Amino acid sequence: MTSYVPSPDEVSAAQTSNGGWTKRQLAEWGVPWPPPSGWRKYLEAKWNGEDVAELPRQEPDRDTLF
């Protein structure tokens, strides 16, 4: 995971015109793709210096692989 944590203002400013965030931008912040629920609250808590667990990574269903 990256050591840089963006401020809540930086996260808001990076939002695209479509209302989302790019995969590349999220990766720079250490957020997995697709971003799990609560990722913005997670980044805000880290930015505030709180000790938080890593974000869960969604593994593809076995059925989608075959």
Side-chain angles (χ1 to χ4, degrees):
M1 177 150 214
T2 183
S3 60
Y4 176 74
V5 180
S7 72
D9 290 338
E10 288 175 279
V11 172
S12 293
Q15 195 170 14
T16 69
S17 59
N18 290 333
W21 288 263
T22 65
K23 184 176 182 178
R24 181 178 182 184
Q25 180 63 71
L26 292 174
E28 288 178 18
W29 296 334
V31 176
W33 189 265
S37 174
W39 69 268
R40 286 180 282 172
K41 286 183 181 182
Y42 164 83
L43 286 178
E44 184 173 355
K46 279 198 70 102
W47 189 76
N48 287 324
E50 297 175 30
D51 187 25
V52 292
E54 293 296 318
L55 284 169
R57 298 193 180 274
Q58 293 178 345
E59 297 298 326
D61 253 353
R62 183 175 171 89
D63 292 338
T64 61
L65 296 175
F66 299 99

